[in-house]
PDB file of all heavy atoms in Angstrom:
ATOM      1  N   ASP A  60      78.128 172.816  75.772  1.00 92.00           N
ATOM      2  CA  ASP A  60      77.636 171.439  76.087  1.00 92.00           C
ATOM      3  C   ASP A  60      78.714 170.361  75.828  1.00 92.00           C
ATOM      4  O   ASP A  60      78.853 169.458  76.575  1.00 92.00           O
ATOM      5  CB  ASP A  60      76.374 171.219  75.291  1.00 92.00           C
ATOM      6  CG  ASP A  60      75.614 169.984  75.646  1.00 92.00           C
ATOM      7  OD1 ASP A  60      75.568 169.757  76.960  1.00 92.00           O
ATOM      8  OD2 ASP A  60      75.170 169.185  74.887  1.00 92.00           O
ATOM      9  N   ALA A  61      79.346 170.549  74.693  1.00 94.00           N
ATOM     10  CA  ALA A  61      80.461 169.575  74.376  1.00 94.00           C
ATOM     11  C   ALA A  61      81.533 169.624  75.398  1.00 94.00           C
ATOM     12  O   ALA A  61      82.083 168.566  75.823  1.00 94.00           O
ATOM     13  CB  ALA A  61      81.001 169.873  72.941  1.00 94.00           C
ATOM     14  N   LYS A  62      81.890 170.810  75.892  1.00 95.00           N
ATOM     15  CA  LYS A  62      82.889 170.942  76.895  1.00 95.00           C
ATOM     16  C   LYS A  62      82.442 170.274  78.252  1.00 95.00           C
ATOM     17  O   LYS A  62      83.211 169.634  78.894  1.00 95.00           O
ATOM     18  CB  LYS A  62      83.264 172.373  77.168  1.00 95.00           C
ATOM     19  CG  LYS A  62      84.048 173.015  76.111  1.00 95.00           C
ATOM     20  CD  LYS A  62      84.348 174.496  76.517  1.00 95.00           C
ATOM     21  CE  LYS A  62      85.205 175.217  75.368  1.00 95.00           C
ATOM     22  NZ  LYS A  62      85.499 176.621  75.692  1.00 95.00           N
ATOM     23  N   VAL A  63      81.144 170.385  78.540  1.00 95.00           N
ATOM     24  CA  VAL A  63      80.661 169.780  79.744  1.00 95.00           C
ATOM     25  C   VAL A  63      80.694 168.268  79.652  1.00 95.00           C
ATOM     26  O   VAL A  63      81.051 167.543  80.597  1.00 95.00           O
ATOM     27  CB  VAL A  63      79.190 170.264  80.021  1.00 95.00           C
ATOM     28  CG1 VAL A  63      78.476 169.402  81.105  1.00 95.00           C
ATOM     29  CG2 VAL A  63      79.203 171.698  80.470  1.00 95.00           C
ATOM     30  N   VAL A  64      80.388 167.763  78.453  1.00 95.00           N
ATOM     31  CA  VAL A  64      80.433 166.282  78.177  1.00 95.00           C
ATOM     32  C   VAL A  64      81.862 165.784  78.356  1.00 95.00           C
ATOM     33  O   VAL A  64      82.154 164.785  79.069  1.00 95.00           O
ATOM     34  CB  VAL A  64      79.904 165.900  76.839  1.00 95.00           C
ATOM     35  CG1 VAL A  64      80.189 164.472  76.486  1.00 95.00           C
ATOM     36  CG2 VAL A  64      78.365 166.193  76.782  1.00 95.00           C
ATOM     37  N   ARG A  65      82.867 166.541  77.772  1.00 95.00           N
ATOM     38  CA  ARG A  65      84.223 166.112  77.942  1.00 95.00           C
ATOM     39  C   ARG A  65      84.677 166.204  79.423  1.00 95.00           C
ATOM     40  O   ARG A  65      85.437 165.356  79.946  1.00 95.00           O
ATOM     41  CB  ARG A  65      85.156 167.025  77.063  1.00 95.00           C
ATOM     42  CG  ARG A  65      85.071 166.694  75.619  1.00 95.00           C
ATOM     43  CD  ARG A  65      86.267 167.256  74.800  1.00 95.00           C
ATOM     44  NE  ARG A  65      86.319 168.780  74.957  1.00 95.00           N
ATOM     45  CZ  ARG A  65      85.757 169.674  74.204  1.00 95.00           C
ATOM     46  NH1 ARG A  65      84.894 169.261  73.223  1.00 95.00           N
ATOM     47  NH2 ARG A  65      85.880 170.945  74.423  1.00 95.00           N
ATOM     48  N   LEU A  66      84.231 167.171  80.138  1.00 96.00           N
ATOM     49  CA  LEU A  66      84.566 167.349  81.525  1.00 96.00           C
ATOM     50  C   LEU A  66      83.989 166.226  82.297  1.00 96.00           C
ATOM     51  O   LEU A  66      84.634 165.643  83.209  1.00 96.00           O
ATOM     52  CB  LEU A  66      84.141 168.716  82.065  1.00 96.00           C
ATOM     53  CG  LEU A  66      84.475 169.038  83.509  1.00 96.00           C
ATOM     54  CD1 LEU A  66      85.935 169.098  83.647  1.00 96.00           C
ATOM     55  CD2 LEU A  66      83.835 170.400  83.885  1.00 96.00           C
ATOM     56  N   ASP A  67      82.737 165.821  82.002  1.00 95.00           N
ATOM     57  CA  ASP A  67      82.152 164.680  82.719  1.00 95.00           C
ATOM     58  C   ASP A  67      82.930 163.443  82.478  1.00 95.00           C
ATOM     59  O   ASP A  67      83.164 162.615  83.387  1.00 95.00           O
ATOM     60  CB  ASP A  67      80.743 164.463  82.235  1.00 95.00           C
ATOM     61  CG  ASP A  67      79.726 165.476  82.817  1.00 95.00           C
ATOM     62  OD1 ASP A  67      80.057 166.139  83.832  1.00 95.00           O
ATOM     63  OD2 ASP A  67      78.615 165.587  82.272  1.00 95.00           O
ATOM     64  N   ALA A  68      83.451 163.232  81.241  1.00 95.00           N
ATOM     65  CA  ALA A  68      84.241 162.088  80.893  1.00 95.00           C
ATOM     66  C   ALA A  68      85.570 162.116  81.835  1.00 95.00           C
ATOM     67  O   ALA A  68      85.979 160.997  82.308  1.00 95.00           O
ATOM     68  CB  ALA A  68      84.551 161.994  79.496  1.00 95.00           C
ATOM     69  N   LYS A  69      86.152 163.243  81.863  1.00 96.00           N
ATOM     70  CA  LYS A  69      87.414 163.357  82.642  1.00 96.00           C
ATOM     71  C   LYS A  69      87.084 163.065  84.185  1.00 96.00           C
ATOM     72  O   LYS A  69      87.923 162.451  84.858  1.00 96.00           O
ATOM     73  CB  LYS A  69      88.015 164.755  82.518  1.00 96.00           C
ATOM     74  CG  LYS A  69      88.619 164.979  81.235  1.00 96.00           C
ATOM     75  CD  LYS A  69      89.272 166.261  81.020  1.00 96.00           C
ATOM     76  CE  LYS A  69      89.934 166.525  79.716  1.00 96.00           C
ATOM     77  NZ  LYS A  69      90.571 167.837  79.568  1.00 96.00           N
ATOM     78  N   VAL A  70      85.959 163.593  84.663  1.00 95.00           N
ATOM     79  CA  VAL A  70      85.627 163.300  86.075  1.00 95.00           C
ATOM     80  C   VAL A  70      85.434 161.792  86.311  1.00 95.00           C
ATOM     81  O   VAL A  70      85.909 161.263  87.319  1.00 95.00           O
ATOM     82  CB  VAL A  70      84.324 164.123  86.459  1.00 95.00           C
ATOM     83  CG1 VAL A  70      83.735 163.623  87.752  1.00 95.00           C
ATOM     84  CG2 VAL A  70      84.626 165.590  86.514  1.00 95.00           C
ATOM     85  N   VAL A  71      84.845 161.157  85.301  1.00 95.00           N
ATOM     86  CA  VAL A  71      84.671 159.654  85.494  1.00 95.00           C
ATOM     87  C   VAL A  71      86.031 159.035  85.493  1.00 95.00           C
ATOM     88  O   VAL A  71      86.301 158.047  86.284  1.00 95.00           O
ATOM     89  CB  VAL A  71      83.790 159.151  84.301  1.00 95.00           C
ATOM     90  CG1 VAL A  71      83.874 157.590  84.251  1.00 95.00           C
ATOM     91  CG2 VAL A  71      82.379 159.600  84.531  1.00 95.00           C
TER      92      VAL A  71
END
Side-chain angles (χ1 to χ4, degrees):
D60 191 40
K62 285 181 181 180
V63 167
V64 168
R65 285 195 304 269
L66 184 61
D67 284 343
K69 287 181 181 181
V70 166
V71 168

